[in-house]
mmCIF file of all heavy atoms in Angstrom:
data_model
loop_
_atom_site.group_PDB
_atom_site.id
_atom_site.type_symbol
_atom_site.label_atom_id
_atom_site.label_comp_id
_atom_site.label_asym_id
_atom_site.label_seq_id
_atom_site.Cartn_x
_atom_site.Cartn_y
_atom_site.Cartn_z
ATOM 1 N N SER A 230 -14.887 12.337 -15.603
ATOM 2 C CA SER A 230 -15.132 11.115 -14.832
ATOM 3 C C SER A 230 -15.085 9.878 -15.734
ATOM 4 O O SER A 230 -16.043 9.126 -15.840
ATOM 5 C CB SER A 230 -16.473 11.205 -14.105
ATOM 6 O OG SER A 230 -16.603 10.124 -13.215
ATOM 7 N N VAL A 231 -13.938 9.737 -16.390
ATOM 8 C CA VAL A 231 -13.728 8.632 -17.327
ATOM 9 C C VAL A 231 -12.515 7.834 -16.878
ATOM 10 O O VAL A 231 -11.477 8.397 -16.539
ATOM 11 C CB VAL A 231 -13.514 9.168 -18.760
ATOM 12 C CG1 VAL A 231 -13.089 8.060 -19.700
ATOM 13 C CG2 VAL A 231 -14.775 9.817 -19.267
ATOM 14 N N ALA A 232 -12.664 6.504 -16.881
ATOM 15 C CA ALA A 232 -11.558 5.608 -16.538
ATOM 16 C C ALA A 232 -11.076 4.937 -17.821
ATOM 17 O O ALA A 232 -11.886 4.488 -18.641
ATOM 18 C CB ALA A 232 -12.014 4.555 -15.539
ATOM 19 N N ILE A 233 -9.755 4.866 -17.980
ATOM 20 C CA ILE A 233 -9.165 4.131 -19.099
ATOM 21 C C ILE A 233 -8.838 2.745 -18.561
ATOM 22 O O ILE A 233 -8.127 2.607 -17.566
ATOM 23 C CB ILE A 233 -7.901 4.824 -19.627
ATOM 24 C CG1 ILE A 233 -8.196 6.273 -20.003
ATOM 25 C CG2 ILE A 233 -7.327 4.053 -20.808
ATOM 26 C CD1 ILE A 233 -9.261 6.453 -21.058
ATOM 27 N N VAL A 234 -9.354 1.732 -19.225
ATOM 28 C CA VAL A 234 -9.222 0.352 -18.758
ATOM 29 C C VAL A 234 -8.485 -0.461 -19.812
ATOM 30 O O VAL A 234 -8.768 -0.335 -21.011
ATOM 31 C CB VAL A 234 -10.614 -0.271 -18.479
ATOM 32 C CG1 VAL A 234 -10.483 -1.714 -18.036
ATOM 33 C CG2 VAL A 234 -11.362 0.537 -17.441
ATOM 34 N N LYS A 235 -7.531 -1.284 -19.377
ATOM 35 C CA LYS A 235 -6.845 -2.236 -20.252
ATOM 36 C C LYS A 235 -7.566 -3.564 -20.076
ATOM 37 O O LYS A 235 -7.513 -4.175 -19.016
ATOM 38 C CB LYS A 235 -5.366 -2.351 -19.840
ATOM 39 C CG LYS A 235 -4.609 -3.453 -20.517
ATOM 40 C CD LYS A 235 -4.273 -3.085 -21.923
ATOM 41 C CE LYS A 235 -3.373 -4.171 -22.517
ATOM 42 N NZ LYS A 235 -3.185 -3.990 -23.930
ATOM 43 N N LEU A 236 -8.251 -4.000 -21.118
ATOM 44 C CA LEU A 236 -9.012 -5.241 -21.064
ATOM 45 C C LEU A 236 -8.054 -6.411 -21.271
ATOM 46 O O LEU A 236 -7.350 -6.469 -22.276
ATOM 47 C CB LEU A 236 -10.106 -5.238 -22.138
ATOM 48 C CG LEU A 236 -11.228 -6.227 -21.953
ATOM 49 C CD1 LEU A 236 -12.010 -5.898 -20.698
ATOM 50 C CD2 LEU A 236 -12.159 -6.204 -23.143
ATOM 51 N N GLU A 237 -7.987 -7.314 -20.308
ATOM 52 C CA GLU A 237 -7.044 -8.434 -20.379
ATOM 53 C C GLU A 237 -7.683 -9.658 -21.036
ATOM 54 O O GLU A 237 -7.086 -10.276 -21.913
ATOM 55 C CB GLU A 237 -6.559 -8.792 -18.964
ATOM 56 C CG GLU A 237 -5.797 -7.664 -18.297
ATOM 57 C CD GLU A 237 -5.589 -7.900 -16.815
ATOM 58 O OE1 GLU A 237 -6.247 -8.787 -16.230
ATOM 59 O OE2 GLU A 237 -4.766 -7.179 -16.230
ATOM 60 N N THR A 238 -8.868 -10.016 -20.572
ATOM 61 C CA THR A 238 -9.543 -11.196 -21.118
ATOM 62 C C THR A 238 -11.014 -10.892 -21.310
ATOM 63 O O THR A 238 -11.547 -9.956 -20.722
ATOM 64 C CB THR A 238 -9.429 -12.405 -20.156
ATOM 65 O OG1 THR A 238 -10.031 -12.043 -18.915
ATOM 66 C CG2 THR A 238 -8.003 -12.831 -19.941
ATOM 67 N N GLY A 239 -11.665 -11.697 -22.117
ATOM 68 C CA GLY A 239 -13.106 -11.561 -22.291
ATOM 69 C C GLY A 239 -13.472 -10.372 -23.156
ATOM 70 O O GLY A 239 -12.636 -9.760 -23.821
ATOM 71 N N SER A 240 -14.744 -10.058 -23.143
ATOM 72 C CA SER A 240 -15.243 -8.918 -23.900
ATOM 73 C C SER A 240 -16.227 -8.156 -23.021
ATOM 74 O O SER A 240 -16.719 -8.659 -22.022
ATOM 75 C CB SER A 240 -15.929 -9.390 -25.186
ATOM 76 O OG SER A 240 -17.065 -10.168 -24.854
ATOM 77 N N LEU A 241 -16.513 -6.935 -23.438
ATOM 78 C CA LEU A 241 -17.413 -6.078 -22.666
ATOM 79 C C LEU A 241 -18.308 -5.330 -23.636
ATOM 80 O O LEU A 241 -17.837 -4.808 -24.650
ATOM 81 C CB LEU A 241 -16.601 -5.095 -21.806
ATOM 82 C CG LEU A 241 -17.359 -4.279 -20.786
ATOM 83 C CD1 LEU A 241 -17.966 -5.180 -19.720
ATOM 84 C CD2 LEU A 241 -16.443 -3.261 -20.136
ATOM 85 N N ARG A 242 -19.585 -5.283 -23.335
ATOM 86 C CA ARG A 242 -20.563 -4.605 -24.177
ATOM 87 C C ARG A 242 -21.290 -3.538 -23.370
ATOM 88 O O ARG A 242 -21.306 -3.568 -22.145
ATOM 89 C CB ARG A 242 -21.603 -5.595 -24.697
ATOM 90 C CG ARG A 242 -21.068 -6.613 -25.622
ATOM 91 C CD ARG A 242 -22.167 -7.509 -26.085
ATOM 92 N NE ARG A 242 -21.638 -8.499 -27.021
ATOM 93 C CZ ARG A 242 -22.380 -9.399 -27.611
ATOM 94 N NH1 ARG A 242 -23.673 -9.475 -27.369
ATOM 95 N NH2 ARG A 242 -21.833 -10.250 -28.452
ATOM 96 N N ILE A 243 -21.917 -2.634 -24.084
ATOM 97 C CA ILE A 243 -22.770 -1.643 -23.422
ATOM 98 C C ILE A 243 -23.958 -2.386 -22.824
ATOM 99 O O ILE A 243 -24.560 -3.243 -23.463
ATOM 100 C CB ILE A 243 -23.232 -0.570 -24.419
ATOM 101 C CG1 ILE A 243 -22.037 0.280 -24.840
ATOM 102 C CG2 ILE A 243 -24.320 0.309 -23.817
ATOM 103 C CD1 ILE A 243 -22.354 1.375 -25.822
ATOM 104 N N GLY A 244 -24.275 -2.082 -21.583
ATOM 105 C CA GLY A 244 -25.373 -2.743 -20.887
ATOM 106 C C GLY A 244 -24.894 -3.775 -19.880
ATOM 107 O O GLY A 244 -25.656 -4.186 -19.006
ATOM 108 N N ASP A 245 -23.616 -4.231 -19.998
ATOM 109 C CA ASP A 245 -23.065 -5.169 -19.013
ATOM 110 C C ASP A 245 -22.855 -4.456 -17.685
ATOM 111 O O ASP A 245 -22.711 -3.234 -17.621
ATOM 112 C CB ASP A 245 -21.724 -5.740 -19.488
ATOM 113 C CG ASP A 245 -21.877 -6.714 -20.646
ATOM 114 O OD1 ASP A 245 -23.011 -7.172 -20.893
ATOM 115 O OD2 ASP A 245 -20.850 -7.005 -21.299
ATOM 116 N N THR A 246 -22.816 -5.240 -16.627
ATOM 117 C CA THR A 246 -22.550 -4.681 -15.298
ATOM 118 C C THR A 246 -21.114 -4.990 -14.926
ATOM 119 O O THR A 246 -20.657 -6.131 -15.057
ATOM 120 C CB THR A 246 -23.495 -5.286 -14.248
ATOM 121 O OG1 THR A 246 -24.840 -5.070 -14.673
ATOM 122 C CG2 THR A 246 -23.294 -4.641 -12.894
ATOM 123 N N ILE A 247 -20.380 -3.960 -14.468
ATOM 124 C CA ILE A 247 -18.991 -4.150 -14.039
ATOM 125 C C ILE A 247 -18.883 -3.790 -12.564
ATOM 126 O O ILE A 247 -19.696 -3.033 -12.024
ATOM 127 C CB ILE A 247 -18.003 -3.304 -14.869
ATOM 128 C CG1 ILE A 247 -18.315 -1.808 -14.757
ATOM 129 C CG2 ILE A 247 -17.953 -3.773 -16.306
ATOM 130 C CD1 ILE A 247 -17.271 -0.911 -15.389
ATOM 131 N N HIS A 248 -17.867 -4.354 -11.930
ATOM 132 C CA HIS A 248 -17.574 -4.054 -10.522
ATOM 133 C C HIS A 248 -16.119 -3.620 -10.477
ATOM 134 O O HIS A 248 -15.237 -4.346 -10.950
ATOM 135 C CB HIS A 248 -17.785 -5.289 -9.646
ATOM 136 C CG HIS A 248 -17.652 -4.996 -8.190
ATOM 137 N ND1 HIS A 248 -18.725 -4.657 -7.400
ATOM 138 C CD2 HIS A 248 -16.565 -4.975 -7.378
ATOM 139 C CE1 HIS A 248 -18.307 -4.448 -6.169
ATOM 140 N NE2 HIS A 248 -17.006 -4.630 -6.131
ATOM 141 N N ILE A 249 -15.847 -2.437 -9.930
ATOM 142 C CA ILE A 249 -14.483 -1.914 -9.825
ATOM 143 C C ILE A 249 -14.073 -1.984 -8.365
ATOM 144 O O ILE A 249 -14.774 -1.472 -7.490
ATOM 145 C CB ILE A 249 -14.388 -0.482 -10.368
ATOM 146 C CG1 ILE A 249 -14.820 -0.466 -11.835
ATOM 147 C CG2 ILE A 249 -12.982 0.052 -10.222
ATOM 148 C CD1 ILE A 249 -14.859 0.887 -12.466
ATOM 149 N N GLN A 250 -12.936 -2.634 -8.129
ATOM 150 C CA GLN A 250 -12.494 -2.876 -6.757
ATOM 151 C C GLN A 250 -11.021 -2.505 -6.645
ATOM 152 O O GLN A 250 -10.223 -2.846 -7.520
ATOM 153 C CB GLN A 250 -12.687 -4.351 -6.429
ATOM 154 C CG GLN A 250 -12.670 -4.681 -4.974
ATOM 155 C CD GLN A 250 -13.098 -6.126 -4.754
ATOM 156 O OE1 GLN A 250 -12.661 -7.014 -5.466
ATOM 157 N NE2 GLN A 250 -13.951 -6.353 -3.775
ATOM 158 N N GLY A 251 -10.679 -1.788 -5.580
ATOM 159 C CA GLY A 251 -9.301 -1.381 -5.346
ATOM 160 C C GLY A 251 -9.085 -1.120 -3.873
ATOM 161 O O GLY A 251 -9.887 -1.505 -3.023
ATOM 162 N N HIS A 252 -7.983 -0.435 -3.582
ATOM 163 C CA HIS A 252 -7.621 -0.165 -2.191
ATOM 164 C C HIS A 252 -8.702 0.651 -1.486
ATOM 165 O O HIS A 252 -9.076 0.368 -0.351
ATOM 166 C CB HIS A 252 -6.284 0.564 -2.160
ATOM 167 C CG HIS A 252 -5.795 0.856 -0.787
ATOM 168 N ND1 HIS A 252 -5.394 -0.134 0.065
ATOM 169 C CD2 HIS A 252 -5.669 2.020 -0.100
ATOM 170 C CE1 HIS A 252 -5.039 0.415 1.222
ATOM 171 N NE2 HIS A 252 -5.195 1.715 1.141
ATOM 172 N N THR A 253 -9.209 1.674 -2.157
ATOM 173 C CA THR A 253 -10.253 2.513 -1.561
ATOM 174 C C THR A 253 -11.513 2.540 -2.412
ATOM 175 O O THR A 253 -12.429 3.300 -2.121
ATOM 176 C CB THR A 253 -9.748 3.960 -1.393
ATOM 177 O OG1 THR A 253 -9.358 4.442 -2.678
ATOM 178 C CG2 THR A 253 -8.574 4.022 -0.437
#
Side-chain angles (χ1 to χ4, degrees):
S230 189
V231 171
I233 305 301
V234 178
K235 171 76 174 171
L236 198 64
E237 297 167 346
T238 60
S240 64
L241 189 64
R242 294 181 179 182
I243 291 180
D245 289 345
T246 304
I247 60 172
H248 187 92
I249 301 176
Q250 197 171 44
H252 182 68
T253 58

